[in-house]
Amino acid sequence: MDAVIADLGEHWPVYVTMPFIAALIGYVTKRVAIEMMFKPVEFVGVKPFLGWQGVLPANAERMAATATEMLTNNLVDPKEIFARLDPAQVAKEIEQPLLRIVEDVTREVMEQYQPRLWEVLPNTAQQLLLKRIQAEAPRAITKIMGEIAENIEDVLDLKHMVVTNLVRDKALLNRLIRDISRPEMRFIARSGIVFGFSLGCVQLLVWALTKSPIVLPLFGIGIGWFTDWIALKMIFLPREPKRFFGFYTWQGVFQKRKDQVAADYGDMIAQEIITIPNLLEAVLSGPKSDKLFTMITREVQRTIDAQASVVKPFVAMAVGSRKFQEMKQTAAAKAAARIPETIRHAEGYAVNALDVRNTIVDRMRQLNPLEFEQLLRPAFRQDEWKLIAVGAVIGGLVGELQVLLLLH
């Protein structure tokens, strides 16, 4: 023991630095692990094994599917959300652009089939047809919107929409996880300093007693591995506040921030994922878009049939009954193609009416701890061993470097 004390006195600067180097290992390995979760967004290196892509971007489809399951199963019911839209109010919001569509489509069709016929029609007949269809158009839109809201799952695949957007925009997927877990990421990095310093003190004593060259690399590996592992566990566990040693209470960092996470998550989903433009894109070009256009075309056709009688004698006489039917079908198709775009004019009303953000916040706050954990846990679970392994490798290399410095 006297020899150990003497060695401590002689080489105290070396021993003093050990806990601080261990703290640095703990911090650096955490920062590297965090960055490796998100960066790079695209694979860098030689595929398939020589290189790296951030854990989240590399598993974008799986991560997106997991996030979507949580979103659609626990937080957002499309039927409930769209039931909040008042079809009559939507029709009112888009009234002016809708009236322009009626006039434009009518003129386009007439000019396409009989360029001169529209001009030779009596002005009263022209205006009467336009006014009758324009007067009927808002009622048709009200009926269409009511049918869409009632059968939203027939025209909108919400899961497909969310997954498509997250896989297409991997940076958005990164933000979805990183922005709501920023405090947890800071905790992971800072915990590395505390745990690393504590283990470094143990390392100091073991080195003083053994002077074995294997001690520092082993402790480096242990610090890198253990501090990564325990930091990840402390984010989520325990799910409920738990008292340790009779005086210290701890709850998983993520669990403790439930209300704030709900607010941040709701904001991001409402502002970047379940948005009116994304919803429109999904119903216009998603896997169920054909049903939407069938629905709209059917209703427009009914409206045209009901109102075209005023010009039927003139047009049918000029082009024939068969051509007249074709004209009506063309008009219905043109209107059906332009009506969805017109709905964009109701975006302000729709955002407030759907109230996606507050719906998600309220539902998230009602989740039990295990359900809430699933919001973030899948981002770590499957590939967390890679992050822990990287921490262990970096720690081992730094420990080996320490040995070289001490021996020389």
Side-chain angles (χ1 to χ4, degrees), residues 179-180 183-184 254-267 357 361 364-365 372:
D179 284 4
I180 66 170
E184 284 71 35
F254 189 62
Q255 298 284 359
K256 192 184 301 184
R257 289 198 319 114
K258 187 173 186 177
D259 286 351
Q260 184 59 50
V261 170
D264 293 343
Y265 192 77
D267 284 337
R357 187 263 181 197
V361 172
M364 282 187 65
R365 289 174 176 167
F372 181 69

Side-chain angles (χ1 to χ4, degrees), residues 30 83 113 164 178 200 248 272 289 303 337 339 343 394:
K30 306 301 162 293
Y113 284 89
T164 298
R178 191 161 199 166
Y248 183 71
E272 300 203 51
S289 58
T303 303
I339 284 174
I343 302 296
I394 293 175

Side-chain angles (χ1 to χ4, degrees), residues 90-100 134 138 342 345:
V90 173
K92 184 178 179 181
E93 295 286 334
I94 68 171
E95 184 174 3
Q96 291 307 311
L98 184 62
L99 296 182
R100 288 194 295 272
Q134 286 176 336
T342 307
H345 290 82

Side-chain angles (χ1 to χ4, degrees), residues 236-296:
F236 302 105
L237 300 174
R239 297 185 180 101
E240 301 286 357
K242 185 174 181 180
R243 186 173 292 275
F244 293 89
F245 310 113
F247 67 91
Y248 183 71
T249 302
W250 180 261
Q251 182 184 16
V253 179
F254 189 62
Q255 298 284 359
K256 192 184 301 184
R257 289 198 319 114
K258 187 173 186 177
D259 286 351
Q260 184 59 50
V261 170
D264 293 343
Y265 192 77
D267 284 337
M268 176 160 280
I269 295 296
Q271 292 172 13
E272 300 203 51
I273 298 177
I274 304 183
T275 65
I276 299 303
N278 284 349
L279 289 170
L280 280 174
E281 180 186 356
V283 298
L284 293 178
S285 58
K288 299 182 178 181
S289 58
D290 57 328
K291 295 181 180 179
L292 173 72
F293 283 101
T294 299
M295 188 184 299
I296 295 174

Side-chain angles (χ1 to χ4, degrees), residues 54 60 63 102 163 203 205 215 253 284-285 299 307 321 361 372:
M63 297 293 185
V102 169
V163 171
Q203 178 190 43
L205 295 175
V215 167
V253 179
L284 293 178
S285 58
E299 191 57 40
Q307 305 304 322
S321 297
V361 172
F372 181 69

Side-chain angles (χ1 to χ4, degrees), residues 194-379:
V194 176
F195 295 136
F197 188 88
S198 301
L199 290 173
C201 293
V202 178
Q203 178 190 43
L204 181 157
L205 295 175
V206 175
W207 171 259
L209 292 171
T210 65
K211 290 292 181 62
S212 172
I214 198 66
V215 167
L216 298 182
L218 283 179
F219 264 88
I221 291 171
I223 291 168
W225 177 85
F226 177 74
T227 57
D228 277 11
W229 176 81
I230 196 169
L232 288 170
K233 295 299 180 185
M234 291 178 70
I235 289 178
F236 302 105
L237 300 174
R239 297 185 180 101
E240 301 286 357
K242 185 174 181 180
R243 186 173 292 275
F244 293 89
F245 310 113
F247 67 91
Y248 183 71
T249 302
W250 180 261
Q251 182 184 16
V253 179
F254 189 62
Q255 298 284 359
K256 192 184 301 184
R257 289 198 319 114
K258 187 173 186 177
D259 286 351
Q260 184 59 50
V261 170
D264 293 343
Y265 192 77
D267 284 337
M268 176 160 280
I269 295 296
Q271 292 172 13
E272 300 203 51
I273 298 177
I274 304 183
T275 65
I276 299 303
N278 284 349
L279 289 170
L280 280 174
E281 180 186 356
V283 298
L284 293 178
S285 58
K288 299 182 178 181
S289 58
D290 57 328
K291 295 181 180 179
L292 173 72
F293 283 101
T294 299
M295 188 184 299
I296 295 174
T297 302
R298 184 176 64 244
E299 191 57 40
V300 173
Q301 181 75 58
R302 287 174 184 167
T303 303
I304 293 174
D305 284 339
Q307 305 304 322
S309 58
V310 67
V311 295
K312 184 174 182 178
F314 300 98
V315 180
M317 188 182 301
V319 301
S321 297
R322 185 174 179 180
K323 200 75 167 179
F324 182 65
Q325 293 301 320
E326 186 180 330
M327 288 174 65
K328 289 196 299 181
Q329 292 172 2
T330 301
K334 284 179 176 288
R338 294 178 63 175
I339 284 174
E341 183 65 27
T342 307
I343 302 296
R344 294 186 189 277
H345 290 82
E347 182 171 345
Y349 162 73
V351 168
N352 292 326
L354 296 179
D355 198 20
V356 172
R357 187 263 181 197
N358 289 328
T359 299
I360 290 175
V361 172
D362 291 343
R363 296 281 168 77
M364 282 187 65
R365 289 174 176 167
Q366 295 171 23
L367 296 175
N368 64 47
L370 182 58
E371 291 171 334
F372 181 69
E373 179 182 315
Q374 296 310 306
L375 185 69
L376 187 62
R377 189 74 173 108

Side-chain angles (χ1 to χ4, degrees), residues 52-251:
W52 184 259
Q53 182 180 13
V55 171
L56 258 69
N59 298 279
E61 192 163 347
R62 176 173 58 81
M63 297 293 185
T66 302
T68 303
E69 285 295 320
M70 163 63 71
L71 188 64
T72 55
N73 291 345
N74 297 294
L75 305 179
V76 176
D77 178 355
K79 198 172 185 67
E80 176 194 346
I81 292 291
F82 279 87
R84 297 170 184 168
L85 287 176
D86 181 354
Q89 184 62 37
V90 173
K92 184 178 179 181
E93 295 286 334
I94 68 171
E95 184 174 3
Q96 291 307 311
L98 184 62
L99 296 182
R100 288 194 295 272
I101 283 179
V102 169
E103 183 168 353
D104 290 345
V105 169
T106 303
R107 293 184 185 280
E108 286 174 15
V109 172
M110 294 299 293
E111 290 172 2
Q112 177 181 342
Y113 284 89
Q114 280 291 325
R116 298 181 60 186
L117 179 61
W118 183 252
E119 282 73 17
V120 301
L121 274 176
N123 187 62
T124 53
Q126 291 183 11
Q127 295 305 313
L128 182 58
L129 176 63
L130 287 173
K131 287 179 180 178
R132 287 182 66 170
I133 297 180
Q134 286 176 336
E136 190 65 25
R139 281 191 287 273
I141 290 297
T142 300
K143 189 172 180 180
I144 291 170
M145 291 305 301
E147 191 173 349
I148 289 174
E150 189 175 334
N151 302 282
I152 187 63
E153 294 177 351
D154 291 339
V155 297
L156 172 66
D157 188 336
L158 186 62
K159 290 185 179 181
H160 180 272
M161 184 200 82
V162 176
V163 171
T164 298
N165 279 281
L166 290 177
V167 172
R168 179 173 56 194
D169 186 354
K170 296 183 179 68
L172 174 59
L173 178 62
N174 270 354
R175 290 201 306 278
L176 179 64
I177 300 299
R178 191 161 199 166
D179 284 4
I180 66 170
S181 63
R182 204 168 290 278
E184 284 71 35
M185 299 304 171
R186 283 198 298 268
F187 169 80
I188 289 175
R190 292 171 181 173
S191 69
I193 298 174
V194 176
F195 295 136
F197 188 88
S198 301
L199 290 173
C201 293
V202 178
Q203 178 190 43
L204 181 157
L205 295 175
V206 175
W207 171 259
L209 292 171
T210 65
K211 290 292 181 62
S212 172
I214 198 66
V215 167
L216 298 182
L218 283 179
F219 264 88
I221 291 171
I223 291 168
W225 177 85
F226 177 74
T227 57
D228 277 11
W229 176 81
I230 196 169
L232 288 170
K233 295 299 180 185
M234 291 178 70
I235 289 178
F236 302 105
L237 300 174
R239 297 185 180 101
E240 301 286 357
K242 185 174 181 180
R243 186 173 292 275
F244 293 89
F245 310 113
F247 67 91
Y248 183 71
T249 302
W250 180 261
Q251 182 184 16

